[in-house]
């Protein structure tokens, strides 16, 4: 019975777009619009478009900054909640066409997408479903307007890698009910116009991690109950008030565990739904000069990077352009330092001289795990290792030509076979003694296991609990890069308190939503 359940979980695998997103796992968010000029986070849709007038706008500088940071792509807020459109649209006058910028002929979406192509990085769009300006909002006609906007953005600007649908809404502030969004119609339209794009947020392809503070789950799963994609719940958990607090919230506002066997046992319907951590480099999402010296520190950014990209999530880091139309020097320097760290760290890979592992399936030998290369079209790896037989534990030993000071291992599962590793440990031979250096849980598409540096010429990875058997695409050790994955006592205490207090008592809302979901979808009742 349990084996059947496991096989059911393993039947969920990523689509091509999801595989690509997990390979190109770090992107930059660009929050820019009328708010940049009014100093607001949530514009009310009434600000005068003439305020939008950047003096030195240079989207090449934005894209170069994103590239320097190590990002694969960007996502531009083509329209935020205030309804102000950054492109020449036929759906409203509220946008750049009514601004003095380039005499009303400017098109920021065009400029950003052109710069992306020029510098070889992906272009994505954020189009806020909540619109505080359009007169049709809260009526069925708004769904037509929203679709017309999607159509303009997805047909006139070349390839779009992601469409980000924000669940945030505070329409009560305008005395209006929340729009009855026709999500299925939006998804169908996006699929028809950009079949390779990922749809994120209130959407089925990429899962919002559940907070905007830069916190990832320690054990992140890609196969989760379908319930995680319940749009009503995502909306209910999204920002509802513009009080400056939401983006700072540290705690996950949905469950800390969405994919363990114990959790999945409550459900019958599942999906491959990988997580993304979206976070701003500044306290706000839009640029405010008062926050020029309030950027997240280099070490905080590294922690966010290792916890998200290094923990089977993706990272979407916001770098908001300023009133000149440039990414501020402080932000671009912080981005450059992050990128420099990532590039240098990746170059510290140490090649093993020999590998041993339990007998492999034919064609899936263990030497494959030293090579991360993959087919750019299918996003599947050229090679991987899988043992011939299932067993209780699997040990892979990597030997080196001499001792190296190692502080981390990167591990990758071949997700074409779903996500399988539940627990693993890493040992190093130090002065001839076998020493445990790391205990881990999930791996998924990427795990960067960071530990105290050890001088070693032999490393062992032992997979101690696996759904059926592991399919390993890559394991690599890296020389010490000075990064320390600190978990200060107060952080651990807060996590524990969050688990005990928040999840047990305050999280009733989610429980109700889960029950409602089961009722609608007729899934098994809670055990
Ligand atoms: C939130 C929005 O309300 C913020 O303004 C920002 O766009 C963020 C990414 O999503 O929920």
């Amino acid at each position: 019975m349990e084996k059947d359940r496991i096989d059911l979980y393993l039947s969920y695998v990523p689509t091509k777009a999801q595989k690509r997103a997990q390979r190109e796992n770090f992107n930059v968010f660009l929050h820019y619009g009328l708010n940049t000029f009014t100093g607001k986070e949530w514009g009310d849709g009434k600000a005068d478009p003439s305020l939008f007038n950047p003096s030195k706008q240079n989207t090449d500088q934005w894209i170069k900054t994103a590239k320097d940071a190590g990002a694969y792509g960007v996502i531009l807020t083509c329209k935020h909640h205030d309804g102000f459109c950054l492109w020449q649209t036929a759906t409203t006058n509220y946008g750049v066409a009514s601004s003095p910028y380039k005499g009303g002929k400017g098109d920021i979406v065009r400029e950003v997408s052109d710069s992306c192509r020029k510098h070889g990085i992906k272009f994505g769009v954020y189009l806020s479903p909540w619109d505080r300006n359009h007169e049709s909002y809260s009526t069925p006609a708004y769904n037509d307007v929203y679709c017309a906007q999607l159509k303009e953005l997805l047909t006139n600007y070349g390839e779009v890698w992601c469409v980000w649908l924000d669940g945030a809404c505070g329409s009560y502030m305008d005395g209006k009910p929340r729009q009855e969004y026709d999500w299925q119609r939006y998804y169908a339209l996006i699929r028809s116009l950009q079949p390779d794009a990922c749809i994120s947020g209130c959407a089925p392809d990429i899962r919002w991690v559940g907070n905007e503070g830069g916190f990832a789950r320690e054990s992140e799963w890609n196969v989760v109950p379908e319930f995680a994609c319940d749009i009503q719940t995502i909306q209910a958990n999204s920002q509802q008030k513009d009080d400056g607090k939401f983006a700072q919230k540290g705690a996950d506002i949905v469950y800390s565990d969405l994919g363990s066997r114990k959790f999945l046992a409550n459900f019958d319907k599942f999906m491959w739904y990988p997580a993304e951590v979206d976070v701003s480099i500044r306290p706000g999402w839009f640029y405010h000069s008062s926050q020029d010296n309030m950027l997240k520190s280099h070490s905080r950014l590294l922690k966010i990077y290792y916890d998200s990209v290094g923990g089977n999530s993706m990272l979407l880091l916001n770098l908001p352009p300023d009133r000149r139309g440039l990414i501020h020097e402080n932000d671009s320097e912080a981005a450059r330092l992050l990128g420099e760290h990532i590039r240098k760290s990746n170059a510290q890979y140490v090649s093993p001289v020999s590998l041993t592992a339990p007998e492999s399936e034919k064609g899936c030998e263990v030497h494959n795990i030293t090579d991360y290369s993959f087919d750019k079209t299918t996003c599947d790896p050229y090679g991987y290792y899988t043992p011939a037989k299932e067993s209780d534990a699997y040990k892979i030993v990597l030997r080196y030509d001499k001792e190296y000071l190692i502080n981390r291992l990167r591990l990758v599962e071949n997700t074409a076979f779903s996500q399988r590793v539940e627990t693993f440990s890493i040992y190093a031979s130090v002065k001839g003694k076998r020493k445990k250096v790391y205990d881990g849980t999930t791996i998924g598409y990427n795990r960067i296991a960071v530990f105290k540096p050890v001088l070693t010429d032999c490393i062992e990875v032992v997979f101690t609990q696996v759904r059926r058997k592991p399919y390993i695409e890559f394991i690599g050790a890296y020389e010490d890069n000075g990064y320390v994955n600190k978990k200060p006592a107060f952080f651990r205490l807060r996590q524990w308190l969050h688990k005990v207090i928040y999840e047990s008592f305050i999280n009733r809302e989610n429980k109700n939503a889960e029950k409602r979901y089961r009722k609608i979808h007729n899934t098994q009742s809670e055990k």
Side-chain angles (χ1 to χ4, degrees), residues 139-151 154 165 179-193 199:
T139 74
Y142 177 72
N143 284 320
D144 298 334
V145 172
Y146 191 79
C147 284
Q149 295 184 336
L150 276 175
K151 196 164 173 208
L154 302 181
L165 303 178
Q179 172 74 30
E180 294 212 5
Y181 300 108
D182 195 344
W183 298 106
Q184 298 307 327
R185 183 176 162 201
Y186 306 165
Y187 304 156
L189 182 65
I190 297 168
R191 298 269 191 246
S192 72
L193 298 172
I199 320 179

Side-chain angles (χ1 to χ4, degrees), residues 29 31 41-42 80-81 126 164 166 168 212 239 278 285:
F29 225 163
H31 273 69
E41 276 293 308
W42 275 13
H80 201 252
H81 310 325
Y126 166 111
W164 216 93
D166 196 340
E212 295 181 352
Q239 189 171 357
D278 64 318
W285 288 98

Side-chain angles (χ1 to χ4, degrees), residues 261-277:
R261 281 188 205 197
K262 196 168 157 227
F263 188 78
L264 295 190
N266 296 312
F267 299 89
D268 280 341
K269 290 192 174 157
F270 308 96
M271 64 192 292
W272 184 275
Y273 198 24
E276 177 185 74
V277 171

